[in-house]
Amino acid sequence: MTLTQVQTTATVAPTGSAVGVARIYWAIVATIGTASFIVSCGLAVTQEGNGGWLNGLIFTLSYFTVWSNILTFIMNWSLVADPARDGTIFRWLRMSSLVMITITGLVYAIVLAPDANPVGLGVYTNIGYHYISPWATVLGFLLFGPRPRFRVKTVFAMLAIPVVWLTYTLLRGLLLVTPPPEAPSTQLGEPQNWYPYPFIDVNDPSPLIPGLEFGGYAGVGVNIVVIVFLGLLFGFIFLGLDRALSKGNKALRSEEHTSELQ
């Protein structure tokens, strides 16, 4: 049996006219995510009092929401090009994007939305970032796959990008920076040790689990454990769905791939 035959019998992906439907779907979702990112960057560099366009852009690019959306729309565009995409890099980034964007949607809806007050064009980027991109991407995964693509090691590899973001965030928090007006801050317009979300704010971390309230790095550490647990939980959920929706087939080993994300 050739490698092509192996992949054909093991892959669940759109075929025939469904390929066009999948491409249109992914193109719409990717366009919304891309447009939300471009508009939010435009707002960041032009906003009055942002400390200069570069400062405004750096703050915008410091949010986990933005990282997860960038990765997600890149993956969605890759599926526009090839709805049956596969490869070692694709599997890792696909799992990472699914978990990261799901956490973005859930954390925003449960933790951040009650205190959020977007205005102007920010209303639309907020909808794109936190509502359309997360849930349309998950729905697309359920409808179109492709699968099976994930293995147990893919779940743990998924943690790499969030760990890089977290390391960057905590190290940057050691510096005194002046946030733009729209960024959450402890002293508006004043230099401060800044963190993008209250649950990783070393100054006064908000507990993700009621009752587990600690100050400083201890509180942030507890919250990080909670987030890592959620990430792994969703990773294994996507792994289970990947197998269940492909009738129990397991993803082939990396050396058996016949297509790589270029």
Side-chain angles (χ1 to χ4, degrees):
M1 180 178 290
T2 67
L3 288 179
T4 301
Q5 290 172 321
V6 170
Q7 189 187 44
T8 300
T9 57
T11 296
V12 178
T15 58
S17 61
V19 173
V21 175
R23 282 185 166 140
I24 292 172
Y25 181 89
W26 289 125
I28 292 172
V29 179
T31 298
I32 292 172
T34 305
S36 299
F37 172 68
I38 292 173
V39 172
S40 66
C41 288
L43 293 174
V45 302
T46 59
Q47 185 181 40
E48 184 178 353
N50 63 2
W53 70 269
L54 182 59
N55 188 61
L57 184 61
I58 289 173
F59 271 90
T60 292
L61 296 176
S62 294
Y63 289 94
F64 184 83
T65 290
V66 175
W67 282 43
S68 63
N69 273 272
I70 291 173
L71 181 57
T72 297
F73 71 65
I74 290 174
M75 288 295 95
N76 290 344
W77 281 122
S78 78
L79 289 169
V80 173
D82 181 6
R85 178 80 66 178
D86 200 358
T88 303
I89 297 175
F90 173 79
R91 292 181 180 197
W92 165 48
L93 295 181
R94 175 71 160 150
M95 168 67 81
S96 299
S97 67
L98 283 169
V99 172
M100 289 171 64
I101 203 66
T102 299
I103 290 178
T104 290
L106 287 176
V107 170
Y108 181 81
I110 297 172
V111 179
L112 302 175
D115 296 322
N117 186 32
V119 296
L121 290 176
V123 173
Y124 302 101
T125 60
N126 180 62
I127 293 173
Y129 273 158
H130 296 115
Y131 295 102
I132 297 178
S133 185
W135 309 126
T137 296
V138 172
L139 178 60
F141 164 75
L142 296 175
L143 291 175
F144 304 113
R147 50 185 173 265
R149 291 295 183 268
F150 304 144
R151 306 177 71 199
V152 171
K153 68 177 183 180
T154 317
V155 176
F156 292 98
M158 166 273 302
L159 294 173
I161 297 175
V163 167
V164 171
W165 174 83
L166 183 62
T167 302
Y168 160 76
T169 299
L170 293 177
L171 289 177
R172 188 165 186 260
L174 298 174
L175 305 175
L176 286 176
V177 297
T178 303
E182 85 284 356
S185 60
T186 54
Q187 296 176 319
L188 186 62
E190 296 293 331
Q192 58 197 265
N193 300 107
W194 182 82
Y195 301 88
Y197 302 106
F199 47 85
I200 57 168
D201 187 344
V202 176
N203 302 304
D204 185 23
S206 301
L208 287 175
I209 298 180
L212 289 179
E213 186 170 355
F214 302 93
Y217 284 101
V220 171
V222 171
N223 288 338
I224 289 173
V225 170
V226 173
I227 294 170
V228 169
F229 173 80
L230 286 176
L232 291 174
L233 174 63
F234 281 112
F236 280 105
I237 287 174
F238 283 119
L239 172 63
L241 289 171
D242 186 59
R243 291 183 178 178
L245 295 174
S246 55
K247 301 178 180 179
N249 288 331
K250 295 183 179 181
L252 303 174
R253 295 189 301 274
S254 59
E255 61 268 22
E256 295 174 302
H257 295 167
T258 60
S259 174
E260 279 287 341
L261 176 62
Q262 301 298 322

